[in-house]
Amino acid sequence: MAVRIAKKEDARSISSIMSYSFNFGNRNIEETSKNFDHQGWLVNEENNQVTSAVKVHDYLMMYEGKYVKMGGVGGVCSSPENRSGGTVKDILTYSLEYMNNQDFYFSALGPFSFEFYRKYGWEWGFSFQLVNIPIDHLKNFKPAYKYVCLDKKDNELIENYRNQFIATINGPLYHSEKILEDRWNNFYNNFTHVYASYNQDNTLTAIAFFRIQDKTLHCDEIYFTSEEGRQHMLHLFYRHRSQINNVEMQLLTCDNIRTILPSPRIQYWEWPHMMIRIINVKKVLESLKCNVKGTIKLKVIDKQAPWNNQIFKISGDGSSLKVEEGCKNYDFAITIQRLSQLAIGFLSGKEAIDLNLVEIKNSKKISIFTQIFLKRKTMLWQMF
């Protein structure tokens, strides 16, 4: 078996394996082959036959207040006669080197199985909560001065406001022209409405994306920069009470919306969503915002990515981190899976220690470790 970057002439082979793996049907093979873009695809072949394929999407992801390169892994597929023989293992391992060579910081994916992808270094890194709110719980929220229906022509307004909302969240993707086009097509196909709320001084206070189905208003995204703005949008939802019985909202896991409702006894649940993986430890750690002063030596265990599988000296000067490679001896040891959770902010250093996810060799350095790895807001809305 040999793993390589896909060529244009691999279009039909990849389309055929994808259609089989995801049950798209034979018609999809013809349609996909005609418009196939081989960029970002990796394939494994044996005897000149493609046996498996993976797509690495070239995304920009918000991390610590700036966009960094993130490889969105999708379309992982293989022909059934070649499964259980290591064909996907080889291609996923190759994808790590491919992404590192192109200066990716992270990779993310939506797993069919957390256990399967954990073997190759990915780990649970994103969740969201769904809350189901009875419509009468929203009757006391105050209205905005005005509400405006938005559409595709308002892209610039929406994206500028979204950038304010996501500035302190790790995980959101930069909306390229292609992502925006796909989003609006999806909104159109799913009857999604987009509304903005404004104060009397014409200040934008919130933007929400929602659709109405089966007597429920589903709010898939809401951006707000103050609680006043969020409550303006909740009032707009209440105006739909003749059409709906409930409002279902997809929110950050740290969002405690239930505290502002008449009763917190509503249906809500947390959904484990995407997995995250560090591609380049040095790049990621040097991007962490941190005001710690001090030094730790961290042994990273990453069997699939040898450039990460070493001891790093991490030094804080009170404003940033400096990371040196190839050190000897260590204060802490951690797998790449758990380090990925810490770096994105899904887990804090204290949580990782309390859960015995870190090997501690030097307990005197625990305070520095926990100051470097703090809990952060995380969210990745898109699937790919």
Side-chain angles (χ1 to χ4, degrees):
M1 290 187 288
V3 183
R4 60 173 173 79
I5 296 172
K7 304 172 185 176
K8 190 174 182 179
E9 51 266 33
D10 294 319
R12 185 172 181 84
S13 296
I14 296 175
S15 299
S16 179
I17 296 174
M18 275 192 67
S19 293
Y20 188 97
S21 297
F22 298 105
N23 200 29
F24 290 154
N26 291 334
R27 181 178 298 177
N28 181 265
I29 298 175
E30 303 300 329
E31 294 174 355
T32 305
S33 297
K34 290 177 184 177
N35 304 307
F36 186 79
D37 181 4
H38 68 284
Q39 298 297 323
W41 278 97
L42 307 175
V43 298
N44 204 343
E45 67 176 0
E46 186 173 10
N47 299 324
N48 296 319
Q49 294 291 321
V50 173
T51 60
S52 61
V54 166
K55 169 74 171 181
V56 178
H57 298 271
D58 191 343
Y59 290 132
L60 292 175
M61 184 186 81
M62 180 63 71
Y63 182 64
E64 298 295 283
K66 68 176 185 179
Y67 284 111
V68 301
K69 292 190 70 174
M70 186 275 280
V73 171
V76 181
C77 55
S78 61
S79 53
E81 63 270 26
N82 292 292
R83 294 174 186 172
S84 301
T87 180
V88 173
K89 172 187 175 181
D90 291 343
I91 203 170
L92 287 174
T93 302
Y94 180 85
S95 76
L96 301 176
E97 183 179 356
Y98 171 84
M99 287 186 275
N100 188 53
N101 289 340
Q102 297 194 43
D103 296 323
F104 285 85
Y105 285 54
F106 288 98
S107 174
L109 57 80
F112 78 92
S113 163
F114 283 86
E115 293 89 346
F116 178 81
Y117 287 105
R118 185 173 290 127
K119 292 184 293 185
Y120 307 109
W122 282 268
E123 186 52 84
W124 178 27
F126 298 99
S127 291
F128 59 82
Q129 64 167 315
L130 284 174
V131 295
N132 194 301
I133 307 172
I135 190 62
D136 64 344
H137 280 36
L138 307 182
K139 62 185 178 183
N140 292 324
F141 292 116
K142 295 180 180 180
Y145 175 69
K146 67 177 180 180
Y147 297 98
V148 177
C149 181
L150 306 179
D151 58 27
K152 191 174 181 179
K153 73 177 186 305
D154 301 301
N155 255 337
E156 184 175 357
L157 171 73
I158 294 170
E159 290 306 300
N160 286 341
Y161 193 72
R162 176 182 182 267
N163 287 337
Q164 294 179 51
F165 176 71
I166 68 173
T168 59
I169 304 172
N170 285 343
L173 299 186
Y174 171 75
H175 282 173
S176 64
E177 289 186 12
K178 184 180 186 308
I179 289 177
L180 288 173
E181 188 65 30
D182 289 345
R183 273 166 62 85
W184 284 109
N185 288 336
N186 184 58
F187 293 160
Y188 178 80
N189 292 332
N190 290 287
F191 304 103
T192 298
H193 311 285
V194 186
Y195 268 84
S197 59
Y198 287 85
N199 273 335
Q200 193 165 0
D201 62 1
N202 211 38
T203 300
L204 180 60
T205 62
I207 294 176
F209 304 77
F210 60 90
R211 53 199 161 80
I212 297 171
Q213 184 178 8
D214 299 327
K215 301 292 284 185
T216 297
L217 186 152
H218 301 270
C219 179
D220 298 316
E221 291 186 43
I222 180 169
Y223 312 144
F224 55 94
T225 52
S226 70
E227 182 55 34
E228 178 188 39
R230 194 243 291 272
Q231 294 186 21
H232 286 164
M233 203 53 70
L234 293 177
H235 175 86
L236 178 67
F237 296 164
Y238 182 67
R239 291 187 181 185
H240 294 79
R241 60 191 179 276
S242 64
Q243 298 172 262
I244 63 173
N245 297 324
N246 301 282
V247 172
E248 184 179 274
M249 301 181 72
Q250 183 173 307
L251 302 169
L252 301 177
T253 53
C254 61
D255 190 320
N256 202 356
I257 190 174
R258 292 180 300 136
T259 59
I260 63 171
L261 300 177
S263 171
R265 289 179 175 172
I266 62 169
Q267 287 185 325
Y268 77 100
W269 55 97
E270 182 177 321
W271 182 252
H273 194 210
M274 307 286 277
M275 299 183 82
I276 191 73
R277 192 202 202 282
I278 292 176
I279 297 299
N280 188 288
V281 168
K282 188 174 189 296
K283 284 186 172 70
V284 167
L285 294 182
E286 288 184 335
S287 298
L288 268 178
K289 288 185 177 178
C290 182
N291 58 10
V292 69
K293 290 185 177 181
T295 299
I296 64 170
K297 290 184 178 180
L298 182 65
K299 179 182 179 180
V300 178
I301 303 162
D302 189 350
K303 296 179 181 178
Q304 287 79 26
W307 57 91
N308 290 332
N309 193 50
Q310 57 175 306
I311 297 172
F312 296 87
K313 181 180 178 182
I314 307 169
S315 305
D317 62 6
S319 61
S320 62
L321 295 178
K322 179 182 177 182
V323 180
E324 299 175 51
E325 300 175 297
C327 300
K328 296 181 179 180
N329 303 317
Y330 61 91
D331 303 311
F332 305 92
I334 192 168
T335 64
I336 192 66
Q337 292 91 335
R338 298 308 183 184
L339 181 59
S340 297
Q341 290 179 310
L342 291 178
I344 202 70
F346 183 78
L347 283 181
S348 70
K350 183 179 185 306
E351 287 175 316
I353 288 174
D354 290 344
L355 292 168
N356 292 326
L357 302 178
V358 184
E359 179 193 346
I360 302 171
K361 296 278 281 188
N362 185 354
S363 59
K364 294 180 181 179
K365 297 280 189 172
I366 287 177
S367 175
I368 299 173
F369 182 89
T370 56
Q371 289 179 70
I372 291 174
F373 298 111
L374 302 174
K375 192 94 166 185
R376 289 162 165 83
K377 294 179 183 178
T378 61
M379 185 65 155
L380 178 54
W381 281 269
Q382 283 89 349
M383 293 285 287
F384 33 81

